[in-house]
Amino acid sequence: MLFIFMRGNSMAKLKYTQEEDLKTPEEFIEAKTKKETAYVRKGKFILNFYNIWRTIRKAKKITKKIKLDPNLYSEEWRYNWVKKKSKKVLQLLNVYVDVIGVENWLDRGVILASNHQSNIDPILMLAVNDFSKQQPVSFLAKKELWTQKIFKHFMNLIDNVPMDRNNPRSVYNAVKEAKDLVTEYKRSLVIFPEGTRSAKQEMNEFQPASMKIAQMAYAPIIPITIIDSYKLFVKRPKGQFRIKIIFGKPMMPEKFISLKTEMVTRNVFKEIKKNMDKYIDWDPKKLGIKPKLVNKKTRCTYY
C-alpha cells in the first residue's frame, strides 16, 4: 500500500533525530513532489519483499472478484483483511503509535476530521480502529487513487468514496454517498480537510466547505491531530519511529448545525491546531504517564 525505498547502514549516521523538527525546505519539497517513499532498511525490505508482492497480488485478485460478484467476500472479511495488512505495514516500517483520547471516538456514524501529513495517515486510522468499540472507518478520497498502480487494488476493499475535485457533479455525488455512509451505515468517515497532504508538521488551510457532510448528516465531528507522520518519508536514523494521534472532544451537531460551513471548518481547524501545540513535545515517559492499554499486535499504545 506504500512505496518502499531500501536504505543501507550509511543512513544511520544522520545528525538529526525524530525529536528534532526537519525544517529543511528541500526535504519538504522532495517529500511533497516525488512519489511518497518510506525508508526501510535494506535487509528488512528484502526479507519482506515476497510478502509485499503477495499482498498486492491478492488485493488485485479480490478486487477483480468483487467486481464480478460483490457478495463473494463479506464486508466484515474485507475490513478485517485490510486492517491485518495495515498492521503489517506498521511492522515493516517499524512504526509505533501513541494514541491519546481514543474514548472520544463515539460508537456511531461520525466524521473524523484530520490533518494530513503523509500517505500513511489512512493506514494509521485503520490500525487504531477497534471494530468492537468504534464503527469501521471509511475515507473520502481523491479519485486518482482508484487509478494509481498500487493503491487502486485496495480502494474498493472497504467503503471508500471517490471524488473528482475538478468535477462539480462528482463532488455532489461523493458528498451524497459519504453522507449516506454516515447516516445509514453508521460509518466513521475520515475526511482530510486540507485536500492533500502537507508533508510537514504545519497544517495547510482547510477547504472552506469540507465540513458540509457533517451538517448534512447531522453527525458529530471528531477532530483528529496527527503528529510526525510526515517524518517517516524523509531520511532518518534507523530504529523505532513513533507517531502521535490525538482524538479531540466531539463537536456535536446541535452545536454547529446552524453555523455557516466555513465557520464550522475554522472551528475544526482551531481544535486540531490546539492539540498539535499541546502534544507536539508531549513525552509520556518524561511525564511519568502510564498507558491505559498497550496493543502489541497493532503497535498502538493508548493514553
Side-chain angles (χ1 to χ4, degrees):
M1 297 174 71
L2 290 172
F3 293 100
I4 307 297
F5 177 80
M6 295 182 293
R7 73 175 190 178
N9 293 331
S10 61
M11 301 300 295
K13 297 182 179 180
L14 293 170
K15 294 182 180 179
Y16 52 75
T17 64
Q18 182 182 347
E19 286 71 30
E20 296 174 339
D21 199 7
L22 305 177
K23 297 181 180 179
T24 308
E26 290 77 11
E27 292 174 337
F28 292 145
I29 294 172
E30 179 181 0
K32 182 69 175 173
T33 59
K34 292 186 177 181
K35 285 183 177 180
E36 198 164 78
T37 306
Y39 289 81
V40 181
R41 282 183 296 157
K42 184 176 180 180
K44 196 168 187 178
F45 177 85
I46 293 173
L47 289 174
N48 287 275
F49 178 80
Y50 175 71
N51 289 332
I52 296 170
W53 172 81
R54 189 174 63 176
T55 296
I56 296 172
R57 187 180 180 186
K58 185 170 184 178
K60 184 178 180 180
K61 287 184 177 180
I62 295 173
T63 300
K64 286 184 176 180
K65 291 181 178 179
I66 289 174
K67 288 181 179 179
L68 297 174
D69 183 2
N71 298 317
L72 191 59
Y73 295 92
S74 70
E75 186 177 56
E76 181 181 4
W77 186 93
R78 287 186 279 117
Y79 261 98
N80 285 323
W81 188 83
V82 172
K83 181 176 175 63
K84 181 179 178 181
K85 298 309 174 183
S86 70
K87 291 187 291 185
K88 294 293 184 181
V89 172
L90 297 187
Q91 291 172 8
L92 176 62
L93 301 179
N94 208 11
V95 169
Y96 290 79
V97 186
D98 292 328
V99 186
I100 303 161
V102 74
E103 64 275 6
N104 291 322
W105 187 343
L106 304 177
D107 185 19
R108 55 182 285 189
V110 298
I111 303 297
L112 301 176
S114 173
N115 62 314
H116 192 17
Q117 295 189 351
S118 73
N119 277 342
I120 200 177
D121 296 343
I123 295 175
L124 295 172
M125 295 305 301
L126 278 163
V128 174
N129 193 189
D130 184 343
F131 300 147
S132 68
K133 296 179 180 179
Q134 308 103 19
Q135 294 299 312
V137 292
S138 300
F139 297 90
L140 181 65
K142 60 183 180 181
K143 186 179 180 181
E144 290 82 357
L145 291 177
W146 274 259
T147 59
Q148 289 184 2
K149 187 174 181 180
I150 294 179
F151 282 102
K152 67 180 182 180
H153 302 311
F154 295 88
M155 297 311 295
N156 290 323
L157 297 185
I158 61 176
D159 293 321
N160 297 319
V161 180
M163 182 174 68
D164 184 351
R165 292 168 291 187
N166 298 317
N167 185 332
R169 174 59 63 178
S170 173
V171 172
Y172 172 80
N173 291 335
V175 169
K176 185 177 183 300
E177 183 178 351
K179 178 246 182 186
D180 290 342
L181 278 176
V182 175
T183 56
E184 296 184 22
Y185 298 96
K186 310 303 179 186
R187 289 289 176 263
S188 298
L189 180 68
V190 179
I191 295 177
F192 298 112
E194 291 168 279
T196 185
R197 65 190 189 278
S198 64
K200 61 183 186 294
Q201 205 76 276
E202 295 79 12
M203 293 186 293
N204 294 328
E205 291 185 9
F206 284 10
Q207 300 297 319
S210 55
M211 292 298 105
K212 186 65 176 178
I213 297 173
Q215 291 180 305
M216 292 175 62
Y218 199 76
I221 301 171
I222 316 295
I224 310 295
T225 305
I226 297 176
I227 298 176
D228 285 343
S229 75
Y230 78 99
K231 293 181 182 179
L232 186 62
F233 298 89
V234 294
K235 297 175 183 178
R236 68 184 193 281
K238 65 181 180 180
Q240 291 186 8
F241 186 83
R242 306 200 75 88
I243 295 172
K244 302 187 192 86
I245 300 181
I246 300 93
F247 289 80
K249 296 292 184 181
M251 301 170 67
M252 304 308 291
E254 55 267 24
K255 298 291 185 180
F256 62 75
I257 192 65
S258 60
L259 298 178
K260 291 184 177 181
T261 307
E262 291 79 4
M263 177 62 72
V264 179
T265 302
R266 284 198 293 270
N267 291 343
V268 173
F269 181 95
K270 289 179 182 178
E271 285 298 310
I272 295 175
K273 181 66 166 58
K274 181 179 72 174
N275 284 328
M276 175 79 72
D277 296 338
K278 181 178 179 179
Y279 289 100
I280 191 168
D281 296 318
W282 184 81
D283 188 334
K285 290 184 179 180
K286 291 181 180 179
L287 296 172
I289 301 175
K290 295 184 179 180
K292 298 176 182 177
L293 174 68
V294 178
N295 190 325
K296 294 183 178 180
K297 291 184 178 180
T298 61
R299 296 192 165 208
C300 293
T301 302
Y302 296 86
Y303 293 94

